[in-house]
Amino acid sequence: MATVLPARIAHPETGAVADPRVEALVNDVIGRVADKWTMLVLEVLAEHGEQRFSRVGDLVGGISQKMLTQTLRQMERDGLVVRTVHPVIPPKVEYRLTDLGLTLAEAFCGVWTWAEANIERIEASRAAFDARKA
């Protein structure tokens, strides 16, 4: 049985110590979506809707079948995607975001908006930093 450590983070509004289970979940979700492949699969399914396995891979680009399988399985385990197997020959398997996955995609849409609004500032900062270090 996993040991749940006391929370380190206080609730932003009340100042009360956060539920350690919630903190663990937040850390787990951040780690998962910070993973490049999960974020890209999330984006593809949010933008294109239900897709076949191979089409998800094509739309993501550069992902191996093994990594796509692992990513989709973990997303399915977390309740972010639904895997539908159609009883045809050859087998047809499709993936779509659940309501939970859609809300996560919406939450991370803000990161894209932030990046678009700040790309010049970030690039200028990086260039200045690199120039100082050269």
Side-chain angles (χ1 to χ4, degrees):
M1 178 187 264
T3 303
V4 177
L5 300 174
R8 300 179 316 251
I9 300 171
H11 189 279
E13 295 172 6
T14 66
V17 175
D19 181 335
R21 296 172 306 137
V22 172
E23 182 179 351
L25 179 60
V26 168
N27 289 334
D28 186 48
V29 169
I30 288 171
R32 178 113 43 253
V33 294
D35 167 62
K36 165 180 150 177
W37 299 123
T38 301
M39 189 70 169
L40 292 173
V41 169
L42 191 67
E43 178 189 4
V44 160
L45 293 176
E47 186 175 327
H48 297 281
E50 188 170 43
Q51 296 292 316
R52 292 183 74 157
F53 177 87
S54 57
R55 184 67 177 143
V56 174
D58 292 344
L59 291 168
V60 168
I63 188 170
S64 69
Q65 283 193 347
K66 179 182 177 182
M67 185 54 67
L68 180 57
T69 298
Q70 289 175 355
T71 301
L72 286 166
R73 280 188 183 152
Q74 188 59 54
M75 291 176 76
E76 183 179 11
R77 180 176 182 262
D78 289 341
L80 303 176
V81 299
V82 170
R83 178 179 185 261
T84 303
V85 179
H86 299 278
V88 295
I89 297 176
K92 178 180 174 185
V93 179
E94 294 181 316
Y95 295 87
R96 68 174 167 78
L97 291 179
T98 62
D99 289 342
L100 186 61
L102 286 168
T103 60
L104 182 60
E106 290 170 8
F108 280 91
C109 181
V111 174
W112 291 98
T113 303
W114 177 87
E116 287 174 346
N118 293 289
I119 190 166
E120 287 84 12
R121 292 174 61 192
I122 297 294
E123 288 175 343
S125 179
R126 288 176 176 175
F129 180 88
D130 292 346
R132 285 192 307 270
K133 294 297 177 188

